[in-house]
Amino acid sequence: MHFHVVTLFPEFFGSPLSATMLAKGRERGSIDFTVHDIRDYTEDRHRTADDTPYGGGQGMVMKAEPVVAAIEATGDGDGRPRRILLSPRGRVFDGELAAELAELDAVTIVCGRYEGVDERVRAFVDDEISIGDYVLAGGEPAALVVIDAVARLVPGVLGCAESALDESFSEGTLEYPQYTRPPEFRGMKVPEVLVSGDHGKIAAWRRREALRRTLEWRPDLLLEAHLSDEDRAWLADLAGAADES
Ligand code: ADE
């Protein structure tokens, strides 16, 4: 999968895209990145990419011509990449959308900046995405969030195929607690079941702990989660115990 990033700050992406999982995925040939500098698509001597807003007001607005020229340079016509504008007013990014994007051959991620982007740019994108209900100074950190969440779902990016499956949100629950050596740390012991070697018991314990955490921290997720009769019975027990205490 190819990620095109359209930005005024290409240097922002240097080290994140050349480190950890993203670099490994690239070495393996599963993903690739091209960062496009919007200023390369300006036509004046000063490489002007923003201007004052019509109608007055504070701040600067990103100009339509260089942004659209940069978007079009990432591919046009049939089979062009899916074009995504990052902005706080877009639909909120989640695991489902990450999985949908991971199926594509290429995406173009446009990072907004300053007070906004000329409204006419929106006619040249397919989707507008926000990573949450807060305002960043620019779309660049959001682009990294989207790239990270999508890239790890692309086959071949993560070493172990299962690690992208057995985790929070893919099953509609938060992840179960994990432990590694030593068996005791500052008086806290690893739960006995995890060293029992009984895989059936371990799986049941993990499921119950995942449900316990979800009930405690994100009960909203349980409304959409895939729950067995056993899960429901356990949740009823937990809720009952909480009521008694
Ligand atoms: N740009 C500024 N804030 C943003 C957000 N919350 N998500 C995506 N892009 C943004």
Side-chain angles (χ1 to χ4, degrees), residues 86-88 112 129-139 142:
L86 292 172
S87 100
I129 293 177
S130 162
I131 59 159
D133 291 338
Y134 38 81
V135 180
L136 303 166

Side-chain angles (χ1 to χ4, degrees), residues 6-161:
V6 170
T7 174
L8 280 173
F9 296 95
E11 64 278 13
F12 185 93
F13 295 92
S15 89
L17 297 186
S18 54
T20 66
M21 167 196 80
L22 296 175
K24 286 219 181 78
R26 193 180 207 174
E27 275 164 29
R28 292 194 181 112
S30 307
I31 49 173
D32 204 359
F33 310 100
T34 310
V35 179
H36 304 261
D37 184 346
I38 293 170
R39 287 188 203 282
D40 290 344
Y41 298 88
T42 55
E43 288 186 347
D44 64 317
R45 209 157 50 91
H46 301 290
R47 293 166 45 94
T48 312
D50 57 358
D51 207 339
T52 52
Y54 275 118
Q58 288 191 330
M60 301 293 269
V61 176
M62 284 168 70
K63 289 167 69 63
E65 309 99 299
V67 175
V68 170
I71 292 172
E72 288 178 339
T74 68
D76 215 348
D78 286 349
R80 67 165 173 74
R82 169 99 68 99
R83 298 168 174 178
I84 292 165
L85 175 64
L86 292 172
S87 100
R89 79 176 205 196
R91 69 167 158 149
V92 178
F93 186 62
D94 62 10
E96 209 173 305
L97 184 49
E100 186 187 318
L101 297 179
E103 301 276 320
L104 302 173
D105 290 334
V107 286
T108 295
I109 300 175
V110 184
C111 306
R113 268 271 147 182
Y114 305 122
E115 268 55 47
V117 179
D118 188 304
E119 187 65 23
R120 292 165 290 187
V121 168
R122 292 191 161 83
F124 296 85
V125 299
D126 305 305
D127 221 335
E128 194 163 344
I129 293 177
S130 162
I131 59 159
D133 291 338
Y134 38 81
V135 180
L136 303 166
E140 283 77 10
L144 286 178
V145 168
V146 171
I147 291 170
D148 195 289
V150 173
R152 60 195 296 287
L153 301 178
V154 174
V157 170
L158 287 183
C160 166

